[in-house]
């Protein structure tokens, strides 16, 4: 007797058997959500700490020393910022422009005098406002430090003696929506590099057509370099289109100097090369597209969220900060933010460029070395 | 006969995959301009052997010289001299037939002028001119196979390797491939190395055949030589009910019988004149208490050579073991 209703059981059994025989898929479907938990849990809304604050204290009076003591108390206590002391205003502002510091506090020469003489004392706080979350946090912490001066020393005075914190934004205001654009471009590059380059090798292996070119005189470096260059071409176009569209969508204004365009293109190209060679190292010996699917989720979560694209790196716990130091996407995001929002020149993103270059060279060499030219 | 050079020289080549010995201490030579066949059942190690000779996998031990050079020491130089049609269809489905040929030719650094002459000529030769600009995805199995063969000729290889070149083809397409290969050998004096599990193919095509079973060479020789080593001219196969050892023994002692062997209730009897001897054999079975259910008589073929040397017919090898990571996409080092 035929029992037609039970045919569905065969479908179920087939599927379950296939699942059971793929240990990597099982492991990753358990691990991936947990990795999301750990990475996302530590890369959003964490307490911002150790934001670099540069201070130029031009006053030698007692009250400025008091301000400094209070700032050191914040540095030691809530650790919102870490202090760097410089001798003049220019060094401070240049440092912020070069991305070294998140904010700069300038205590003018007549500060103590004004406090003593009730002469409306004021300090200047220069902010890197392209990172709204960080600059807001520094500003609040500095304000806290100044308030306690008033309560200790200025408490009996009337309200007109309050220290005025004049905050000066160095750049055009960047809202959160706009601030995501560099991250979106990096995401486009990530996806582009995942589906070109080494992925072609994975598919060729999967379809069994890799024999056709392994049998020819093509060398390892012919194959690796060829696929990286074609992947670079495709991914660069995608990234530029995504950049243009997302700038239109968010309304980012951008100085249209050819140099700026060239610098942005350079970063896009470098990041693409960097990720393409990384993918070659990771996917170099994989022979099933399913693995690429699993890895894409994994790589995206460990590269993208700790890159500073969605939330400042300063809010990460130490281990995640350390990871961000070797995460190429973090350098790419930093460089693009500098170019898009601060009008940075190449010199101020030299560290980013240097890291991306070194990373690319190391990965490319590893890719060629580990690529197997045999079946 | 003219002194000919060796195109392929293999000595003591072995390939292990874990505990499995896919190719076991195999030695042979192939002379320039001959069609040399490796005949054996699926799983005998033919593909592993061809992959070692064509630099795709490294031998565990032993040496092989193909064309000018040693396959492990100078694989790149070997690759320039050989053309290989693997068992799997390896043309790129997303490209047209012409594009497949063109890009492949450029892998060898062939000039655009030469490509312009040679590719249309080769496509014409294999009868694909009319479909040259269609995507290979739209090709039939036979057309794809012919494209594969045309493609490996684009760089004028000295030695051509074909792994089961007619597997899965209908008899007509198979004959087209045979004619083409024979023409190639005669006109372009290419050395051809094929593997096959089709007896008929080896017999029709090959000047010499090596019979391989379970990774070892059983015997090498021309189809004619090999057949002459089996006693008799014909084989009578009888399906017998109540088959006993005594019955087999009595048949074996008939004066005109050279040899008898049995396999699954079938008796194979080696005689000189099958048609003439058949009634006598049936009578003998009857008088020995058996009953003949069916009978066939055929002229000896390479199949019989295979059975003669290995004691079994060419059969489908039981499935190979697969690494547990195979479905996960982790490359497994297992021969086909």
């Amino acid at each position: 007797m035929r029992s037609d209703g039970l045919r569905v059981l065969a479908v179920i059994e087939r599927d379950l058997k296939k699942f059971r025989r793929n240990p990597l898929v099982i492991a990753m479907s358990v691990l991936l959500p947990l990795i999301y938990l750990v990475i996302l849990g530590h890369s959003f809304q964490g307490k911002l700490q150790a934001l670099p604050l540069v201070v130029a204290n031009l006053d030698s009076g007692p009250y400025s020393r008091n301000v400094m003591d209070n700032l050191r108390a914040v540095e030691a206590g809530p650790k919102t910022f870490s202090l760097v002391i410089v001798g003049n205003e220019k060094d401070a502002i240049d440092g912020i422009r070069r991305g070294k510091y998140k904010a700069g506090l300038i205590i003018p020469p007549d500060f103590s005098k004004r406090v003593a003489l009730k002469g409306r004392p004021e300090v200047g706080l220069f902010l890197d406002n392209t990172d709204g979350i960080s600059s807001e946090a520094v500003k609040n912490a500095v304000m806290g430090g100044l308030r306690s001066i008033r309560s200790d020393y200025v408490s009996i005075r009337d309200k007109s003696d309050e220290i005025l914190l004049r905050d000066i934004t160095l750049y055009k205001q960047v809202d959160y929506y706009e601030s995501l654009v560099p991250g979106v471009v990096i995401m486009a590059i990530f996806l582009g590099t995942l589906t070109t380059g080494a992925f072609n090798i994975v598919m060729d292996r999967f379809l069994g057509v890799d024999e056709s070119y392994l049998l020819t005189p093509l060398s390892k470096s012919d194959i690796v370099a060829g696929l990286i260059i074609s992947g670079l071409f495709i991914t660069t176009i995608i990234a530029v289109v995504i950049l243009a569209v997302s700038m239109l969508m968010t309304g980012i204004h951008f100085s249209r100097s050819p140099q700026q365009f060239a610098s942005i293109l350079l970063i896009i190209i470098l990041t693409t090369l960097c990720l393409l060679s990384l993918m070659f190292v990771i996917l170099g010996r994989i022979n099933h597209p399913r693995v690429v699917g699993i890895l894409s989720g994994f790589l995206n979560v460990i590269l993208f969220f700790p890159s500073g694209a969605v939330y400042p790196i300063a809010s990460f716990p130490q281990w995640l900060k350390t990871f961000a130091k070797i995460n190429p996407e973090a350098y790419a995001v930093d460089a693009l933010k500098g170019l898009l929002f601060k009008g940075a020149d190449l010199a101020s993103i030299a560290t980013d460029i240097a890291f991306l270059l070194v990373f690319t060279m190391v990965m490319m060499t590893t890719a060629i070395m580990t690529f197997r030219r045999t079946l | 006969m003219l002194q000919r050079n060796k195109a392929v020289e293999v000595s003591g080549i072995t390939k292990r995959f874990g505990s499995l010995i896919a190719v076991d201490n195999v030695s042979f030579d192939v002379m320039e301009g001959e069609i040399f066949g490796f005949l054996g059942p699926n799983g005998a190690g033919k593909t592993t052997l061809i992959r070692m000779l064509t630099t795709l996998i490294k031998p565990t031990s032993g040496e092989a010289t193909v064309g000018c050079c040693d396959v492990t020491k100078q694989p790149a130089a070997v690759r320039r001299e050989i053309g290989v049609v693997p068992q799997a269809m390896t043309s790129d489905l997303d490209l047209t037939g012409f594009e497949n040929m063109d890009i492949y030719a450029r892998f060898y650094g062939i000039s655009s002028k030469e490509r312009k002459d040679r590719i249309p000529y080769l496509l014409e030769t294999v009868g694909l001119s009319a479909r040259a600009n269609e995507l290979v995805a739209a090709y039939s199995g036979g057309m794809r196979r012919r494209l594969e063969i045309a493609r490996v000729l684009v760089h004028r290889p000295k030695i051509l390797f074909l792994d089961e070149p007619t597997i899965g083809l209908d008899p007509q397409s198979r004959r087209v491939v045979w004619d083409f290969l024979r023409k190639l050998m005669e006109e372009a004096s290419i050395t051809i190395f094929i593997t096959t599990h089709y007896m008929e193919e080896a017999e029709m095509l090959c000047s010499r055949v090596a019979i391989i079973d379970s990774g070892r060479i059983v015997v090498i020789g021309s189809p004619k030589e090999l057949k002459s080593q089996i006693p008799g001219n014909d084989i009578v196969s009888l399906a017998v009910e109540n088959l006993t050892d005594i019955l087999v023994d009595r048949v074996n002692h008939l004066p005109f019988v050279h040899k008898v062997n049995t396999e699954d209730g079938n008796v194979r009897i080696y005689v000189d004149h099958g048609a003439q001897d058949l009634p006598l054999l049936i009578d003998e079975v009857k008088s020995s208490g058996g009953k003949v259910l069916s009978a066939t008589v055929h002229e000896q073929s390479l199949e019989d050579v295979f059975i003669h040397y290995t004691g079994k017919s060419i059969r489908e090898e039981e499935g190979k073991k697969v690494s547990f990571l195979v479905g996960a996409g982790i490359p497994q080092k297992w021969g086909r």
Side-chain angles (χ1 to χ4, degrees):
Chain A
M1 200 184 81
R2 272 212 328 243
S3 48
D4 287 355
L6 294 180
R7 285 182 299 202
V8 69
L9 291 179
V11 176
I12 295 168
E13 190 180 329
R14 169 176 177 267
D15 204 45
L16 290 179
K17 275 189 173 20
K18 285 167 73 146
F19 179 71
R20 192 159 50 84
R21 284 174 192 160
N22 285 300
L24 190 64
V25 176
I26 300 172
M28 287 311 285
S29 29
V30 173
L31 270 180
L32 200 55
L34 298 177
I35 292 168
Y36 263 85
L37 176 67
V38 173
I39 302 278
L40 260 67
H42 289 99
S43 48
F44 285 103
Q45 305 295 343
K47 222 171 119 220
L48 289 144
Q49 286 193 325
L51 294 162
L53 169 68
V54 61
V55 180
N57 183 6
L58 310 174
D59 177 35
S60 48
Y63 293 106
S64 72
R65 248 173 280 144
N66 224 273
V67 170
M68 293 307 293
D69 288 345
N70 283 357
L71 292 179
R72 285 203 182 89
V74 176
E75 186 185 26
K79 299 192 176 81
T80 310
F81 45 69
S82 58
L83 292 174
V84 180
I85 313 294
V86 295
N88 62 63
E89 196 176 336
K90 191 179 168 299
D91 284 355
I93 295 172
D94 283 354
I96 304 169
R97 285 202 185 276
R98 270 185 278 114
K100 245 170 108 182
Y101 315 117
K102 280 290 169 198
L105 182 70
I106 313 297
I107 304 175
D110 58 352
F111 178 74
S112 290
K113 205 167 112 194
R114 283 192 183 221
V115 174
L117 299 174
K118 307 184 209 171
R120 288 188 162 275
E122 61 175 42
V123 292
L125 184 65
F126 288 84
L127 293 168
D128 170 2
N129 57 305
T130 59
D131 177 358
I133 299 163
S134 301
S135 58
E136 203 54 36
V138 177
K139 191 175 150 189
N140 288 334
V142 171
M143 254 152 71
L146 294 174
R147 239 194 313 272
S148 53
I149 291 209
R150 197 189 60 201
S151 61
D152 292 352
Y153 295 89
V154 209
S155 57
I156 46 163
R157 294 162 203 248
D158 58 65
K159 227 176 179 250
S160 64
D161 292 330
E162 193 175 323
I163 297 168
L164 187 69
L165 178 73
R166 181 175 292 180
D167 54 325
I168 303 116
T169 52
L170 283 172
Y171 309 105
K172 215 173 160 314
Q173 193 59 44
V174 176
D175 63 31
Y176 190 66
Y177 190 36
E178 292 163 351
S179 77
L180 290 177
V181 168
V184 167
V185 173
I186 302 303
M187 175 85 89
I189 294 176
F190 173 81
L191 290 174
T193 55
L194 190 74
T195 49
T196 59
F199 185 66
N200 287 306
I201 299 253
V202 177
M203 280 314 288
D204 287 346
R205 285 203 188 109
F206 178 64
L207 298 171
V209 300
D210 54 337
E211 279 183 51
S212 65
Y213 54 82
L214 294 180
L215 287 163
T216 68
L218 286 177
S219 68
K220 270 198 214 182
S221 45
D222 284 337
I223 298 171
V224 175
L227 287 172
I228 283 183
I229 291 166
S230 68
L232 175 66
F233 182 72
I234 296 167
T235 307
T236 305
I237 290 173
I238 294 172
V240 168
V241 168
I242 297 287
L243 175 66
V245 173
S246 61
M247 280 171 73
L248 281 175
M249 282 170 65
T250 58
I252 293 181
H253 293 278
F254 179 61
S255 70
R256 281 154 222 279
S257 87
Q259 272 144 307
Q260 284 289 89
F261 273 116
S263 307
I264 289 183
L265 196 60
L266 174 77
I267 295 299
I268 288 177
I269 287 174
L270 260 179
T271 310
T272 307
L273 278 177
C274 197
L275 293 183
L276 276 170
S277 29
L278 176 68
M279 296 299 176
F280 243 100
V281 172
I282 296 172
L283 302 180
R285 297 196 172 186
I286 303 295
N287 63 7
H288 201 297
R290 183 194 289 132
V291 181
V292 181
I294 295 166
L295 281 175
S296 82
F298 173 74
L299 290 174
N300 196 30
V301 72
I302 67 160
L303 293 178
F304 184 69
F305 292 107
S307 69
V310 282
Y311 212 72
I313 291 173
S315 73
F316 298 171
Q318 194 49 50
W319 63 268
L320 201 53
K321 272 184 194 160
T322 312
F323 178 73
K325 282 210 170 71
I326 53 159
N327 178 2
E329 288 198 6
Y331 291 87
V333 165
D334 185 66
L336 278 188
K337 280 196 168 167
L339 292 169
L340 277 175
F341 302 135
K342 302 183 199 170
D345 54 6
L346 285 180
S348 59
I349 52 167
T351 324
D352 298 325
I353 294 174
F355 180 86
L356 291 174
L357 267 178
V358 170
F359 193 92
T360 302
M361 284 190 291
V362 170
M363 286 300 154
M364 195 100 74
T365 315
T366 316
I368 292 174
M369 267 164 42
T370 55
F371 184 71
R372 254 194 349 189
R373 216 200 156 295
T374 48
L375 282 179
Chain B
M1 201 174 184
L2 277 166
Q3 180 69 38
R4 285 196 297 185
N5 295 322
K6 288 173 184 170
V8 176
E9 198 174 348
V10 179
S11 79
I13 209 163
T14 298
K15 181 70 186 178
R16 288 169 190 274
F17 298 104
S19 60
L20 178 92
I21 305 175
V23 173
D24 189 2
N25 195 20
V26 162
S27 304
F28 63 94
D29 297 331
V30 178
M31 297 299 163
E32 270 178 9
E34 78 173 332
I35 301 187
F36 188 88
F38 246 73
L39 175 68
N42 293 333
K46 303 189 298 289
T47 297
T48 303
L49 178 73
I50 223 169
R51 284 182 171 173
M52 287 192 284
L53 298 185
T54 59
T55 76
L56 281 177
I57 55 177
K58 288 199 171 100
T60 310
S61 61
E63 281 175 17
T65 304
V66 171
C68 63
C69 308
D70 185 286
V71 289
T72 46
K73 287 176 196 140
Q74 291 169 276
V78 170
R79 280 181 213 124
R80 271 188 283 273
E81 297 213 340
I82 61 173
V84 188
V85 182
Q87 196 170 333
M89 307 268 197
T90 59
S91 296
D92 201 317
L93 297 177
D94 300 331
L95 301 178
T96 66
F98 182 87
E99 287 166 344
N100 261 290
M101 298 273 290
D102 193 56
I103 285 177
Y104 191 80
R106 287 166 62 193
F107 289 167
Y108 287 89
I110 295 169
S111 71
S112 75
K113 189 178 163 292
E114 199 182 340
R115 295 202 305 272
K116 235 176 259 165
D117 291 343
R118 187 139 174 92
I119 295 172
Y121 161 75
L122 285 170
L123 285 169
E124 177 71 50
T125 315
V126 295
L128 284 176
S129 295
R131 309 280 299 269
N133 293 318
E134 278 177 44
L135 292 183
V136 172
Y139 282 19
S140 70
M143 290 167 70
R144 285 181 67 187
R145 180 64 66 189
R146 279 181 279 152
L147 179 67
E148 303 267 327
I149 294 174
R151 195 184 61 183
V152 299
L153 295 172
V154 83
H155 61 290
R156 302 175 195 273
K158 291 191 185 122
I159 308 163
L160 195 57
F161 289 85
L162 301 105
D163 193 4
E164 299 273 8
T166 64
I167 196 164
L169 293 189
D170 58 74
Q172 200 185 339
S173 307
R174 180 171 296 170
R175 210 155 280 276
V176 171
V177 171
W178 289 348
D179 289 343
F180 183 68
L181 291 179
R182 232 183 266 123
K183 221 169 85 185
L184 258 181
M185 185 205 54
E186 282 158 14
E187 290 171 11
S189 68
I190 293 180
T191 307
I192 299 175
F193 182 102
I194 75 164
T195 71
T196 182
H197 69 278
Y198 297 120
M199 299 294 164
E200 195 193 353
E201 184 160 280
E203 206 158 346
M204 294 278 293
L205 213 52
C206 299
S207 44
R208 279 195 310 143
V209 173
I211 291 180
I212 180 169
D213 186 45
S214 304
R216 287 179 194 192
I217 291 186
V218 177
V219 63
I220 302 182
S222 70
K224 213 174 174 180
E225 278 165 21
L226 293 180
K227 281 191 286 184
S228 72
Q229 287 171 29
I230 324 177
N233 301 317
D234 292 341
I235 308 273
V236 178
S237 296
L238 302 177
V240 177
E241 204 176 77
N242 298 329
L243 186 62
T244 59
D245 289 347
I246 299 161
L247 185 153
V248 173
D249 199 50
R250 285 184 61 175
V251 170
N252 207 359
H253 279 89
L254 290 172
F256 56 88
V257 169
H258 295 293
K259 186 186 168 188
V260 178
N261 58 31
T262 58
E263 198 181 330
D264 308 330
N266 282 295
V267 191
R268 297 167 50 85
I269 304 150
Y270 296 68
V271 294
D272 288 328
H273 314 286
Q276 195 180 311
D277 299 337
L278 179 61
L280 302 170
L281 289 167
I282 292 175
D283 287 346
E284 185 62 39
V285 169
K286 246 187 215 163
S287 65
S288 308
K291 186 182 171 195
V292 175
L293 301 173
S294 66
T296 57
V297 176
H298 67 264
E299 220 179 295
Q300 280 176 3
S301 69
L302 280 182
E303 168 99 44
D304 303 299
V305 176
F306 188 85
I307 295 168
H308 177 72
Y309 281 104
T310 66
K312 56 197 172 188
S313 35
I314 284 210
R315 77 289 180 221
E316 297 292 312
E317 186 89 329
E318 60 283 1
K320 65 185 180 196
K321 278 193 185 166
V322 180
S323 154
F324 76 102
L325 283 172
V326 66
I330 303 295
Q332 45 145 9
K333 287 176 135 192
W334 215 279
R336 262 174 232 171

